[in-house]
């Protein structure tokens, strides 16, 4: 199956800082999603981005499918950005998502 | 509306009990999924239903039995579970089982504790 690696595993930043989270995957994909998991376990959709670049407020993401990686950018971090960020990919139609191990982000005031 | 609902939110059961987890979506999605997430681990796929038929079973023990009564509902029947089955169970759905747009939307999960 597809392998997904996320880095860094942990990241501690001060409020207002910028960060870049990386996701590498081992094979071609037709679905790549970034999620933020809140403390109650809810997976919040951030981006559906199998290729290209998208922006949503302080967050943006880029996927370079030919080089098999995706980046999530968080600018001007806020304490509410704290949590675990997952990258997940799907190789074929309705195969289900394979998740990376996540990046645990802590934003300190 | 991109909402997937799951009931119950929390469930505590003994190893001899039979219980069911329920998931519902009203987005007209034709693929539905069950994932299991242990503490401090990523979610792992258990089952995929495509057009109400089981299409993927990721070698899940038979004490977990999925059911898709119709295109909006997905159940997970639990029987004779073990304490190591304690986890967060997440349901998800996506628009089209075979199309190019398969963004998945997740429910809030059921937190299961097996005593």
């Amino acid at each position: 199956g597809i392998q997904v690696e996320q880095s860094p595993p942990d990241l501690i930043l001060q409020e207002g800082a910028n960060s870049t989270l990386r996701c590498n995957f081992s094979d071609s994909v037709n679905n790549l999603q970034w999620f933020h998991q809140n403390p109650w376990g809810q997976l919040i959709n951030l981006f559906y981005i199998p290729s290209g670049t998208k922006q949503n407020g302080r967050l943006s993401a880029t996927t370079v499918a030919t080089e098999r990686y995706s980046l999530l950018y968080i600018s001007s971090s806020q304490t509410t950005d704290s949590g675990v960020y997952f990258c997940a990919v799907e190789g074929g139609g309705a195969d289900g998502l394979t998740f990376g191990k996540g990046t645990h982000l802590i934003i300190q005031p | 509306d991109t909402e997937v609902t799951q009931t119950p939110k929390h469930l505590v059961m003994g190893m001899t009990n039979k219980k069911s987890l329920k998931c519902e979506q009203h987005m007209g999605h034709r693929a539905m999924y069950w994932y299991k997430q242990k503490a401090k681990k990523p979610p792992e796929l258990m089952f995929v239903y495509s057009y109400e038929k089981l299409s993927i079973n990721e070698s899940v023990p038979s004490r977990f039995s999925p059911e898709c009564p119709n295109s909006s509902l997905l159940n997970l029947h639990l029987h004779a579970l073990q304490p190591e089955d304690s986890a967060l169970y997440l349901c998800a759905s996506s628009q089209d089982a075979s199309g190019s747009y398969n963004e998945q939307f997740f429910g809030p999960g059921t937190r299961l504790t097996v005593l």
Side-chain angles (χ1 to χ4, degrees), chain B residues 67-80:
Chain B
E67 178 197 18
C68 190
N70 61 56
S71 60
S72 299
L73 293 173
L74 187 64
N75 298 323
L76 186 62
H77 303 297
L78 314 172
H79 173 57

Side-chain angles (χ1 to χ4, degrees), chain B residues 5 8 10 23 35 39-40 54 75 79 86 89 91 96 103-104:
Chain B
T5 59
H10 300 275
C23 174
Y35 293 82
K40 300 191 185 302
L54 183 64
N75 298 323
H79 173 57
S86 297
Y89 288 83
C91 174
D96 191 331
E103 183 177 9
Q104 291 190 26

Side-chain angles (χ1 to χ4, degrees), chain A:
Chain A
I2 295 177
Q3 305 299 311
V4 183
E5 292 184 2
Q6 289 187 245
S7 60
D10 300 281
L11 188 57
I12 302 174
L13 297 171
Q14 294 298 119
E15 205 167 18
N18 301 331
S19 58
T20 300
L21 282 56
R22 186 176 179 101
C23 172
N24 293 333
F25 45 96
S26 62
D27 206 343
S28 60
V29 298
N30 76 339
N31 180 0
L32 188 146
Q33 293 184 245
W34 283 98
F35 296 94
H36 177 207
Q37 189 165 41
N38 68 21
W40 298 272
Q42 174 77 60
L43 283 167
I44 300 164
N45 288 38
L46 298 178
F47 293 102
Y48 170 81
I49 189 166
S51 64
T53 298
K54 291 185 178 180
Q55 180 158 5
N56 184 3
R58 294 182 297 104
L59 275 60
S60 63
T62 294
T63 297
V64 184
T66 53
E67 297 187 22
R68 298 183 184 164
Y69 73 89
S70 183
L71 302 173
L72 176 68
Y73 305 97
I74 306 174
S75 64
S76 304
S77 298
Q78 301 174 359
T79 56
T80 52
D81 294 331
S82 297
V84 181
Y85 289 79
F86 286 109
C87 169
V89 304
E90 184 175 41
D95 285 348
L97 290 169
T98 298
F99 283 75
K101 292 184 178 180
T103 292
H104 187 196
L105 177 64
I106 297 174
I107 305 299
Q108 296 178 333

